[in-house]
Amino acid sequence: MSDRDSDGSLDLNQLRTFLAVHRAGSITAGARLVGLSQPTVTAQLQALEKRLEQRLFERLPRGVAPTAAAAELAARIAEPLDALNAVAGRNVAAEFAAQPPVRLAGPAEMLAVQVLPALAPLVAEGVRLTVTAGLSEDLLAGLRAGHHDIVVSTVRPRGRTVVAEALSDEEFVLVAAPAVAERIDLVQLRAEGPVVLSTVPLVSYAADLPILRRYWRHVFGIRLAGEAAVIVSDLRAVAAAVAAGAGISVLPRYLCAAQLDSGTLVTLLDPPDPPINTGFLVRRPGPGTRPHVDLVHAHLRAAARTW
């Protein structure tokens, strides 16, 4: 990658603008940080991309997501530019970091496994997070009431008081520990359906077996009748109990991917059309969003492409 003009130099104003947009997560918010109009910021970014011969940002419906080239450039220039700005009497990084925490909410399992690991790099850039875990319907009500800035929801919100974007799809899998799977006739399971599982204990997230019932209805075409032997309201605990041999359950693949890779859990079926649930990224509509909220939103949109 060539990052220099014929005279060997780069435009400092373009670099300052780039760094502001990288930190803010949107062109609009970056423009506010550097005191320029949005068209001017866009023009500077385009000129810098042309000079570097690299795309720096992917444009999203809300904000921008940095490319790998942008992350590398930001790492190289952040410290010297911040030092230069401090000498000049204006510390853009300090202004950016002075914002209040982003109030993020979502299901505990998704937050722990996907969302917070994806957002960890933003903390080094001054982003602060206040995170709340809970049920999607409760969290959406809190968003409407102004208690949260962004909610990751496993249900599609209704009404026009919030704006929802599809974030990622989670596939559900029927799993067991290897020792439990060995006692199940998998050929008979594929041929005759869940009658083979009638004597195997069920481990569930809730007493009404919501995920298990959905799987039974979608894959087997029948209604699941029965009770769970173990009920625990944390899917990570469900996965741990199943891996220890307590019974079988249905889990999102992302949640048990490591255990499937290591062999501590195995799938009992591989249906051609597995149940899928879509997760949503939800926020309130309207102008005036803080740059850090925009940054978290854009970063999650980008990270979800690999989920």
Side-chain angles (χ1 to χ4, degrees), residues 96-117:
F96 187 67
Q99 297 178 48
V102 177
R103 300 169 299 171
L104 176 67
E109 301 87 353
M110 191 176 290
L111 290 171
V113 177
Q114 293 180 317
V115 173
L116 290 177

Side-chain angles (χ1 to χ4, degrees), residues 32 66 72 108 174 246 256 279:
R32 288 197 298 266
E72 177 187 351
L174 180 63
C256 57

Side-chain angles (χ1 to χ4, degrees), residues 139-300:
L139 298 177
L140 290 172
L143 177 67
R144 293 184 179 97
H147 302 317
H148 312 302
D149 298 311
I150 298 175
V151 169
V152 179
S153 174
T154 55
V155 300
R156 182 190 292 272
R158 299 177 181 178
R160 299 180 180 179
T161 56
V162 295
V163 176
E165 302 171 66
L167 183 65
S168 63
D169 290 331
E170 54 182 9
E171 173 193 342
F172 290 106
V173 291
L174 180 63
V175 295
V180 174
E182 289 176 1
R183 302 196 296 267
I184 299 171
D185 189 331
L186 300 184
V187 175
Q188 186 180 2
L189 174 62
R190 289 190 291 270
E192 301 180 15
V195 65
V196 180
L197 305 174
S198 59
T199 61
V200 183
L202 301 176
V203 183
S204 178
Y205 177 82
D208 60 346
L209 316 180
I211 302 176
L212 285 155
R213 288 183 189 276
R214 179 179 177 186
Y215 189 95
W216 253 242
R217 183 174 62 251
H218 185 95
V219 175
F220 301 125
I222 65 173
R223 183 177 183 275
L224 172 61
E227 296 182 354
V230 179
I231 299 171
V232 53
S233 59
D234 188 313
L235 289 176
R236 293 164 296 181
V238 171
V242 173
I248 64 173
S249 191
V250 174
L251 294 168
R253 183 178 289 276
Y254 81 84
L255 187 72
C256 57
Q259 290 152 305
L260 291 173
D261 289 343
S262 69
T264 56
L265 286 176
V266 296
T267 57
L268 301 179
L269 282 177
D270 186 20
D273 178 30
I276 297 291
N277 190 59
T278 300
F280 297 90
L281 195 58
V282 192
R283 64 197 297 183
R284 290 184 302 280
T289 306
R290 301 191 311 274
H292 277 189
V293 175
D294 291 337
L295 178 58
V296 169
H297 187 275
H299 205 81
L300 287 177

